[in-house]
Amino acid sequence: MPCRCQFQSDKSTFLCHPCHHEKLQLIKRFPAPIIRHLLACHRNGELSGEETARELNLSRAGFYKLYSQYLRACAQDQAATWLPGVSGGNHQPAWSAEVLALLKKLLASKPPSSYSACASELHRRLGFKTGRASVRRWAIQNQLAPDTRYKAAPKPVKRWQARDLGALWQYDASPHAWLPGNSDKQALLDILDDATRCNVGARLYPAETLLAHYDFLSRVFKTHGLPLALYVDFHSFFYTHNPDAFTQLGQALHFYGVKLLYAPTPQAKGKIERRHDYWQKRLPPLLAADHIVELEGANRLLDQLLPHVNQHEIHRELGTTPHAARQQALAKKRSVLRPMPACPWWPFVWSQQTPVRVGDDGKVPVGTQRQSVNAAPRSTVIRCLRPDGDIYYLRHAPDPKAKPTVLLHCPVF
């Protein structure tokens, strides 16, 4: 759009309305004769400094810096040929072809990546640091800006948080159509340290099942240790209406001293709900941009994104990265995390346990077949189905005062 400039006859000056090129060099926005004319009008008292600065689209400081240069030219009798100097300009290196190609791919995907996600991916993939605002300007200039006519109202910020690392982990599942081109919903299991906002685990599963919870929690506990408590909702995986009883998952957590705390409303566990929103905005566009359509590839991408997010992205409530907050908590001895115990029951606690009665033939069912087991007929043994598909038969249920006795192991092939 051309600049809409008017001639003001009473003062013989040009009034330039702010437009898209107002941040260009002064000499590129105005011809030199007009600049000299405006400064001469100010020198003769026909225009005030504020009026002249406004017509040149300059700040007060920028105008007087320019005017001092003009006066020096007048003192040397060079006012008629004087030209305004140029600023230092933009010395940032030009964006490489790899950066531009990645930006086009991320912004053109359906749905498109957000500007902050693009900046984060440029840093993670190419080591190129830039800001959200720079990505936005580039997208607008290249007609790649996504449609942002609708913006959700800002969500309230919940200020309460645990003091110690590992004192409370917020844990939840997010069913969503994560994979591009797939209308079916998959389950993202997500876990967040309440004190440091460190996203200690995130993994996609075909559905939210007991075995999915076992697989996910055992992975996270192996990597990061055991927290004191998990903050969860009233899902049947966690909650039973009998206060003296545990669910199977609750029993496994209790075995290793992890308490379940229940959030009365979704808003009460707002930190993990906001993390779900973060992944729903970031992960599907990245999967679409990279043409990742299966869970295995999506989880490999999550394994790369998690450390980058924790180490490099500043959390808006903390004012620092989760990794820095975690290191600060460790330095101040504000950590109550416990290492994974050297417990022989570990693979069996994180399995789906079912009491099974041994048949009169001394056999137990394994798939569509029956296999012999070293137990008395009509006695009860414990069938343990592992997340990886392996099946174990144990003499008795997990007991911290005893050791496991494996009667039968049927690995998956």
Side-chain angles (χ1 to χ4, degrees):
M1 177 184 295
C3 179
R4 303 187 301 276
C5 298
Q6 310 177 350
F7 185 78
Q8 186 178 359
S9 58
D10 59 339
K11 293 184 179 178
S12 300
T13 59
F14 285 86
L15 296 178
C16 181
H17 295 275
C19 58
H20 68 284
H21 58 240
E22 64 180 353
K23 296 190 180 297
L24 296 176
Q25 296 280 358
L26 178 64
I27 193 62
K28 295 184 179 180
R29 289 188 280 120
F30 294 92
I34 298 176
I35 300 173
R36 289 195 292 264
H37 172 72
L38 290 171
L39 294 178
C41 289
H42 174 64
R43 187 184 184 199
N44 297 332
E46 299 173 13
L47 285 175
S48 68
E50 182 180 351
E51 290 173 325
T52 312
R54 183 172 61 250
E55 293 176 8
L56 290 172
N57 288 334
L58 293 175
S59 66
R60 178 182 175 86
F63 165 70
Y64 282 107
K65 181 179 179 181
L66 178 72
Y67 185 55
S68 64
Q69 297 172 4
Y70 174 73
L71 290 179
R72 281 196 293 270
C74 292
Q76 298 171 5
D77 198 21
Q78 298 175 354
T81 59
W82 171 80
L83 295 175
V86 295
S87 67
N90 181 13
H91 294 287
Q92 292 295 327
W95 290 4
S96 67
E98 291 82 0
V99 168
L100 298 180
L102 180 57
L103 273 179
K104 290 177 181 177
K105 182 174 80 166
L106 296 176
L107 290 171
S109 65
K110 302 296 181 183
S113 295
S114 65
Y115 299 133
S116 59
C118 289
S120 178
E121 285 299 294
L122 289 175
H123 183 201
R124 183 179 72 87
R125 300 190 190 194
L126 303 177
F128 181 80
K129 289 187 177 182
T130 189
R132 173 192 177 280
S134 298
V135 174
R136 177 180 178 273
R137 284 194 296 270
W138 184 90
I140 292 173
Q141 291 169 2
N142 291 272
Q143 289 79 48
L144 285 172
D147 185 3
T148 57
R149 287 173 293 179
Y150 170 77
K151 291 186 178 180
K155 297 181 180 179
V157 175
K158 192 170 182 63
R159 298 296 180 185
W160 178 87
Q161 67 182 41
R163 187 186 78 96
D164 297 328
L165 170 66
L168 185 71
W169 282 1
Q170 295 203 14
Y171 180 41
D172 200 12
S174 175
H176 187 71
W178 296 97
L179 298 177
N182 190 339
S183 59
D184 295 336
K185 291 185 177 181
Q186 303 82 38
L188 175 74
L189 300 187
D190 204 4
I191 201 162
L192 191 77
D193 180 69
D194 193 87
T196 64
R197 309 301 199 278
C198 189
N199 205 164
V200 294
R203 191 169 182 83
L204 285 168
Y205 292 88
E208 183 184 3
T209 63
L210 180 60
L211 287 177
H213 283 290
Y214 281 147
D215 180 71
F216 178 69
L217 289 173
S218 61
R219 287 173 182 267
V220 174
F221 292 160
K222 282 182 181 180
T223 304
H224 297 278
L226 297 169
L228 296 183
L230 292 183
Y231 199 46
V232 297
D233 54 24
F234 285 93
H235 197 287
S236 58
F237 287 121
F238 309 114
Y239 181 75
T240 172
H241 291 280
N242 182 357
D244 297 324
F246 291 109
T247 63
Q248 281 204 44
L249 182 56
Q251 181 64 47
L253 292 166
H254 181 75
F255 191 89
Y256 288 116
V258 180
K259 183 177 178 56
L260 285 175
L261 298 177
Y262 301 99
T265 64
Q267 292 77 13
K269 52 184 181 68
K271 299 181 184 71
I272 193 66
E273 294 291 345
R274 287 192 291 275
R275 181 54 48 165
H276 289 336
D277 184 64
Y278 171 91
W279 286 122
Q280 287 176 13
K281 289 179 179 177
R282 178 160 297 193
L283 188 56
L286 293 179
L287 294 175
D290 289 341
H291 307 290
I292 298 174
V293 295
E294 78 289 341
L295 285 176
E296 184 179 357
N299 282 322
R300 282 198 300 268
L301 178 61
L302 269 173
D303 290 340
Q304 299 171 33
L305 292 174
L306 269 178
H308 182 83
V309 168
N310 287 329
Q311 294 176 19
H312 298 289
E313 296 195 8
I314 296 177
H315 195 279
R316 65 184 181 91
E317 294 175 23
L318 299 181
T320 185
T321 64
H323 177 73
R326 184 179 187 278
Q327 294 302 112
Q328 185 180 30
L330 291 173
K332 293 183 177 180
K333 301 186 184 304
R334 288 191 289 103
S335 174
V336 291
L337 283 173
R338 297 161 292 153
M340 170 189 166
C343 175
W345 287 106
W346 184 270
F348 310 118
V349 168
W350 305 111
S351 65
Q352 187 170 349
Q353 301 165 34
T354 309
V356 174
R357 189 177 184 183
V358 181
D360 291 337
D361 55 359
K363 295 181 179 181
V364 291
V366 179
T368 58
Q369 302 177 351
R370 294 181 63 83
Q371 295 192 22
S372 299
V373 66
N374 186 19
R378 301 189 182 183
S379 63
T380 300
V381 295
I382 303 299
R383 178 181 184 268
C384 297
L385 174 61
R386 292 272 304 142
D388 58 11
D390 280 11
I391 297 175
Y392 290 85
Y393 277 92
L394 304 183
R395 178 80 65 186
H396 52 81
D399 182 354
K401 297 180 180 180
K403 291 184 178 181
T405 302
V406 178
L407 304 175
L408 179 65
H409 176 208
C410 303
V412 66
F413 296 104

